[in-house]
Amino acid sequence: MLILALDTSGRTASCALLRDGLLLEQEARDSLLDHSRLLLPLCRDLLEKHGLALDDVDVFAAVTGPGSFTGIRIGAAAVKGFGWARNKPCAGISSLLAMAFDAREEGVLCCSLRARPGESYYAFFRREGDAVTRLTEDAVGRDEEMEAAAARLGCTLRLRDCQRASGAAKAAWAQAQAGRLQTCHEILPAYLRLSQAERMRKERLEQQ
């Protein structure tokens, strides 16, 4: 099984190829959040480097959040298009879960992304060998809340802002092995909070 995974949830765009659980290669470029311009050439170059094309891919995976609102939409849209055009299964992967699958250490992991000053997106996982078990759902909250949860769960390792397509590919492989792949129509962004435009609109409505 050949998996092509994309991560556009942060400043750096990355894509990875994984075959039967083994990572073939990952490409990453600092796109300054200009993912719409660089993502497709990045995928093309990686596939061509291995003598492959999109039609050879069995599963398309995308990091669906949390993270950059625009970036998440770009990656999800690309995977939905790839899957729909080729009638192939897809996988929507949490950026925090991708971090956990890319970790080398074992134990209770706190995976987090900066949301805004003093706030983070975070979730906790247990890693044993190559197996990752989710302990909490993805959440957004004050850093103090995250620290309290880490102490409560006996966190042994903290990972921040290090999500990559390689972790998404490994998570997608685990989903495939468990029979939990999705259709392209089921791939949806997971924002966890309102966008700035939505927050401003809500504030205006409340003031009226």
Side-chain angles (χ1 to χ4, degrees), residues 100 102-109 126-129 131 156-157 159:
D102 242 6
R104 296 180 180 179
E105 298 84 353
E106 297 188 5
V108 177
L109 315 180
R126 177 177 287 108
R127 184 179 176 94
E128 299 172 306
T156 56
L157 178 66
L159 303 171

Side-chain angles (χ1 to χ4, degrees), residues 62-90:
V63 168
T64 53
S68 162
F69 283 60
T70 301
I72 290 167
R73 288 194 293 269
I74 291 170
V79 160
K80 288 169 76 74
F82 292 157
W84 180 79
R86 293 163 181 82
N87 194 28
K88 297 288 183 70
C90 300

Side-chain angles (χ1 to χ4, degrees), residues 4-17 25-31 35 38-39 42-43 46 61-63 75 102 162-168:
L4 174 65
L6 315 179
D7 178 20
T8 53
S9 61
R11 170 172 168 153
T12 300
S14 61
C15 62
L17 279 175
E25 190 170 354
Q26 176 174 240
E27 290 281 355
R29 293 177 192 168
D30 187 344
S31 67
H35 300 318
L38 290 181
L39 183 60
L42 192 64
C43 294
L46 179 60
V63 168
D102 242 6
C162 58
Q163 72 276 27
R164 294 177 295 185
S166 54

Side-chain angles (χ1 to χ4, degrees), residues 15 17 28 35 43 45-46 60 62 65 67 86 100 103 112 116-117 126 129 142 152 158-159 165 177 179-180 189 201:
C15 62
L17 279 175
H35 300 318
C43 294
D45 293 347
L46 179 60
F60 295 100
R86 293 163 181 82
S112 66
R116 59 170 60 178
R126 177 177 287 108
R142 301 292 300 173
R152 193 166 57 248
R158 296 164 187 262
L159 303 171
Q177 295 299 102
R180 293 190 290 108
R201 179 177 182 274

Side-chain angles (χ1 to χ4, degrees), residues 172-200:
W173 169 251
Q175 287 190 8
Q177 295 299 102
R180 293 190 290 108
L181 293 176
Q182 302 163 282
T183 69
C184 62
H185 307 293
E186 296 173 299
I187 302 299
L188 298 172
Y191 300 128
L192 296 190
R193 60 187 299 175
L194 296 176
S195 68
Q196 182 177 357
E198 290 171 320
R199 290 198 304 272
M200 292 175 64

